[in-house]
Amino acid sequence: MTEVVCVGESMVTFLPSRPGRLADVPSFARTIGGAESNVACALAAAGHATAWVSRVGADGFGDHLVEAVAAYGVDTSAVRRDPERPTGIYFRTANDRSAAAHEVAYYRAGSAASAMSPATVPLDVLDDCRVLHLSGITAALSADCRALVAALTAPRPGRPLVSFDVNHRPRLWRDPAEARVLLEYARGADLVFVGEDEAAQAWDVHGADAIRRALPEPATLVVKRGAEGAVLYTDGAAVAVPAPAVDVVAPVGAGDAFAAGVLSATLRGLPPAERLRHGHLMAAAVLTVEADVCAPPDRALADRLVALGEREWAALRLRAGWARGGAAAEGVRTP
């Protein structure tokens, strides 16, 4: 059985050859990016059987996306080609997303993925797995996509564990008030990821405990707190784990990698604190590269770091290249 099926749009991503305004960057390197496909790629690279379900255009960019995602070991057989709509693409600057100078130019309106709906997605494929992973980005793409997310987060017999990353992207919602629907979808999921900043902006809910009160239904809730780490609520208890210090190269894709790390540890049956530590380590791997997705840390190395004592974990610092396997002594500093 496929362990995780991820549903959502992926786009061809163009990374700048140097810092600066989009107007000034002379050339771009082509890669891929998409919240759900990022999770699928990271999990596949970590040894899990994963599938990505989406729609892409019948164009060269669609060819590249499917081939690039499949190269990570992801099953792409349920990806549909749309002869009428294009594959989405976007360009971004090298700046941190939170910086005022950061720019992103999306060309995704009317994309093939925006036509996903209960009628165009092979729903039978989505129940043949242990975990179905979705995100709020899909809901923002179109009314049809919202109908799909609503259907997949609704209770139904025999559904797999539903993982939902809120992934609130304000620029994708024409009316900011519409993003409150993400709270409804999260309530229908079994495992939810949400950032404190997202909950504040989308729902006017502030603080991890307040978010749990607003979301009592999911069996597991993970509240991300940026550089401070994350809190996992489950079985009536809360576990907080700080994030290790990381020499950040680019922040894009870290949230998807974090979700992949938590899901991987969940599939392995690890306890809550270890799930969060694995999430932090997968995020740290992406934070130290320029692309939106990368190979996860070697499992033996990750397990060794996860097993550190609290003081050693708090003193951990991860540098570029730390996740490339072996001892990675030059990339990891511990006491």
Side-chain angles (χ1 to χ4, degrees):
M1 175 183 288
T2 301
E3 290 183 278
V4 184
V5 172
C6 301
V7 183
E9 180 173 36
S10 189
M11 294 175 289
V12 173
T13 307
F14 290 92
L15 305 180
S17 58
R18 71 182 190 195
R21 302 183 310 154
L22 285 177
D24 300 328
V25 175
S27 60
F28 297 81
R30 184 185 65 177
T31 181
I32 62 171
E36 300 82 5
S37 62
N38 289 349
V39 171
C41 290
L43 284 169
H48 297 283
T50 66
W52 172 53
V53 176
S54 188
R55 293 173 65 84
V56 300
D59 50 33
F61 286 146
D63 293 340
H64 174 64
L65 267 180
V66 174
E67 292 168 5
V69 172
Y72 279 88
V74 178
D75 180 356
T76 59
S77 60
V79 177
R80 299 292 181 258
R81 310 302 291 263
D82 190 326
E84 304 297 330
R85 298 175 179 86
T87 302
I89 64 173
Y90 78 96
F91 299 78
R92 67 173 171 87
T93 57
N95 303 87
D96 187 318
R97 179 182 284 157
S98 63
H102 180 71
E103 296 176 75
V104 179
Y106 286 109
Y107 298 90
R108 71 194 306 178
S111 69
S114 70
M116 289 189 296
S117 73
T120 61
V121 170
L123 299 182
D124 57 321
V125 175
L126 307 186
D127 283 343
D128 190 22
C129 61
R130 290 177 62 187
V131 177
L132 174 62
H133 182 70
L134 314 166
S135 100
I137 293 175
T138 300
L141 298 181
S142 68
D144 283 343
C145 285
R146 281 193 291 280
L148 175 64
V149 175
L152 296 179
T153 54
R156 64 184 186 280
R159 83 173 195 181
L161 183 149
V162 174
S163 167
F164 182 72
D165 190 338
V166 171
N167 250 331
H168 177 233
R169 296 289 183 267
R171 291 181 58 182
L172 295 179
W173 295 90
R174 293 182 180 179
D175 180 355
E178 290 182 351
R180 286 198 63 85
V181 75
L182 297 175
L183 185 60
E184 176 185 337
Y185 301 148
R187 285 172 173 158
D190 304 297
L191 168 58
V192 173
F193 299 91
V194 62
E196 281 188 324
D197 55 343
E198 296 176 301
Q201 190 169 36
W203 310 328
D204 196 24
V205 176
H206 303 269
D209 288 343
I211 295 170
R212 184 50 165 170
R213 290 193 294 271
L215 280 172
E217 296 89 353
T220 303
L221 171 68
V222 178
V223 179
K224 297 176 288 184
R225 308 182 70 191
E228 294 184 31
V231 183
L232 187 151
Y233 296 85
T234 192
D235 296 327
V239 176
V241 173
V246 180
D247 291 346
V248 177
V249 173
V252 181
D256 307 326
F258 176 82
V262 172
L263 286 171
S264 175
T266 300
L267 289 165
R268 295 171 62 192
L270 300 182
E274 293 185 22
R275 294 181 221 170
L276 291 181
R277 285 193 176 191
H278 275 286
H280 288 319
L281 291 175
M282 275 210 189
V286 171
L287 286 169
T288 53
V289 299
E290 292 185 353
D292 293 19
V293 62
C294 71
D298 175 79
R299 180 174 287 189
L301 171 61
D303 285 345
R304 179 172 69 82
L305 295 178
V306 164
L308 291 172
E310 290 189 12
R311 186 173 64 179
E312 289 78 14
W313 174 266
L316 190 62
R317 186 174 194 92
L318 303 171
R319 299 183 174 89
W322 76 271
R324 292 175 185 166
E330 67 278 1
V332 180
R333 187 178 71 187
T334 58

